[in-house]
Amino acid sequence: MRRETKDHRRERLDQIRAVLKSVYPDAHCELTFRNPLELLVATILSAQCTDLNVNRVTATLFKKYLTATDYAKAPEEELARDLRSLGLFRNKAKNLKAACQRIEERYGGEVPRSMEALIELPGVGRKTANVVLGNAFGLEDGIVVDTHVLRLSRRLGITAETDPVKVERSLVTLVPKGEWTQFSHWLIWHGRRRCAARKPDCLRCELKMLCPSASREKP
């Protein structure tokens, strides 16, 4: 089979974007938040955990802890108890407390608005930083690459990379800036609603005519 050129891949991706935009016009971040701090907290807690479970925990958590200072001053064991229904809750409590201490000490209690500052916070990598920048501040420094974006980018033949950072680098050269945040929402929603990891619904998939993996996946 002839290898697809970057121009052909971009043209096919343009078609994929158009379909996803049509199918998921209301796609958005499904973590519940009212401000940048709440989104940062929720995203830190979402590691290896569903948004639904995170939202159940933060419904109570956000009533108890209102500011970065509240998290910074909370005893780590108490914070861990508040997160105990989530996976890795002890490590998340440690990172959350440390991140909020740094926010309080260096940024006056306000979540910083740059990639460089965010990724220096404990428990925060590029994915979390991109989530916060794009959804809390409307700033696009890159594209969120979570498990859904990583999986679908490969299945759809957009990239052959397996490292999230390299996948992001590939995507930002193909997706127009201004659509970076929304593109990740489209892929995440499609991954959750149609293209599951173990059993993708290829028969009913809106992208099956554009997906090089569809013919090889069994419904």
Side-chain angles (χ1 to χ4, degrees):
M1 181 181 294
R2 185 174 62 180
R3 185 176 181 180
E4 190 176 39
T5 67
K6 187 172 183 178
D7 285 342
H8 287 146
R9 193 160 66 250
R10 181 180 287 110
E11 181 179 347
R12 187 164 56 83
L13 182 55
D14 287 345
Q15 295 175 293
I16 289 171
R17 286 172 33 236
V19 172
L20 292 174
K21 183 176 183 179
S22 174
V23 175
Y24 307 111
D26 300 318
H28 59 272
C29 177
E30 294 186 280
L31 290 170
T32 301
F33 69 98
R34 296 169 297 183
N35 54 57
L37 177 63
E38 288 187 351
L39 181 56
L40 176 65
V41 170
T43 310
I44 290 174
L45 298 183
S46 69
Q48 299 184 38
C49 190
T50 67
D51 286 359
L52 181 62
N53 285 337
V54 172
N55 289 338
R56 285 173 179 160
V57 169
T58 57
T60 300
L61 194 74
F62 291 162
K63 294 176 183 177
K64 181 176 181 180
Y65 304 96
L66 302 179
T67 67
T69 302
D70 292 337
Y71 291 102
K73 290 184 176 180
E76 190 174 315
E77 281 303 312
E78 181 179 351
L79 192 52
R81 287 195 297 272
D82 293 330
L83 306 178
R84 63 186 179 277
S85 63
L86 300 176
L88 307 174
F89 69 94
R90 292 190 182 281
N91 191 53
K92 289 176 181 178
K94 179 180 179 181
N95 284 334
L96 186 53
K97 180 179 174 68
C100 286
Q101 285 176 331
R102 191 165 299 181
I103 289 172
E104 180 66 22
E105 293 166 0
R106 297 188 181 182
Y107 306 106
E110 299 294 326
V111 176
R113 299 166 61 102
S114 74
M115 175 65 70
E116 293 75 15
L118 283 168
I119 61 176
E120 289 183 352
L121 300 176
V124 177
R126 281 196 62 88
K127 186 202 83 170
T128 296
N130 275 323
V131 169
V132 173
L133 289 173
N135 295 281
F137 296 121
L139 301 173
E140 294 189 326
D141 192 277
I143 292 176
V144 173
V145 179
D146 71 347
T147 55
H148 298 290
V149 175
L150 181 63
R151 182 178 74 255
L152 268 66
S153 293
R154 290 176 53 79
R155 278 187 178 169
L156 290 167
I158 299 170
T159 178
E161 300 290 352
T162 58
D163 177 73
V165 174
K166 292 181 179 179
V167 169
E168 183 183 359
R169 288 174 185 164
S170 297
L171 292 178
V172 296
T173 67
L174 298 169
V175 178
K177 190 170 185 179
E179 213 172 78
W180 288 355
T181 299
Q182 202 58 34
F183 180 74
S184 67
H185 291 325
W186 290 333
L187 285 188
I188 291 168
W189 276 46
H190 193 66
R192 288 173 175 167
R193 291 157 174 80
R194 188 69 79 203
C195 192
R198 294 185 179 180
K199 194 175 181 182
D201 187 5
C202 293
L203 279 181
R204 296 190 297 168
C205 182
E206 296 84 354
L207 294 175
K208 62 184 177 182
M209 300 305 294
L210 296 167
C211 180
S213 302
S215 62
R216 297 194 295 274
E217 299 280 14
K218 295 181 180 179

